[in-house]
Amino acid sequence: QVQLVESGGGLVQPGGSLRLSCAASGSIDSILFMGWYRQPPGKQRELVADIASGGTTNYADSVKGRFTISRDNANNTVYLQMNSLKPEDTAVYYCNELLTVDSVTGSYWGQGTQVTVSS
């Protein structure tokens, strides 16, 4: 069984920083994609950033230049460094991974972590 455990959310003032982490555990053969999504209050879930196994990254326009996604393949962990946070970044953040378990590829989600940007 695969588990994705997120950490690092919280309350921060505008202009501040947070670092989210998501660690995957279980009988994982390989992780193809690792990404972060967010769901603001009353809105749909949206892609924030993702990173392929080779390191290629992709960002939503709203976070380019402020957020950085990275991965630690040895520890099956993906990070999201968030700088210059704005109130509109307030959301529940979810990690998502496309990975292979016992030769079967599937998409897995973390439980979500709340990020609140407010003065």
Side-chain angles (χ1 to χ4, degrees), residues 43-82:
K43 297 184 179 181
Q44 291 187 332
R45 194 173 296 188
E46 61 185 12
L47 174 68
V48 177
D50 59 31
I51 182 167
S53 57
T56 302
T57 58
N58 175 51
Y59 295 93
D61 287 342
S62 59
V63 307
K64 283 181 181 177
R66 300 188 298 121
F67 291 11
T68 302
I69 189 170
S70 60
R71 60 189 287 170
D72 178 352
N73 291 328
N75 293 302
N76 292 339
T77 300
V78 61
Y79 303 97
L80 185 68
Q81 178 66 44
M82 305 185 293

Side-chain angles (χ1 to χ4, degrees), residues 12-20 38 46-49 59-69 79-91 93 115 117:
V12 64
Q13 292 186 342
S17 298
L18 283 175
R19 189 192 195 205
L20 305 183
R38 68 185 180 187
E46 61 185 12
L47 174 68
V48 177
Y59 295 93
D61 287 342
S62 59
V63 307
K64 283 181 181 177
R66 300 188 298 121
F67 291 11
T68 302
I69 189 170
Y79 303 97
L80 185 68
Q81 178 66 44
M82 305 185 293
N83 299 328
S84 302
L85 282 160
K86 304 175 181 180
E88 51 263 43
D89 294 318
T90 295
Y93 284 70
V115 171
V117 184

Side-chain angles (χ1 to χ4, degrees), residues 84-103:
S84 302
L85 282 160
K86 304 175 181 180
E88 51 263 43
D89 294 318
T90 295
V92 179
Y93 284 70
Y94 299 88
C95 67
N96 172 257
E97 298 188 8
L98 184 66
L99 53 86
T100 301
V101 177
D102 294 334
S103 302

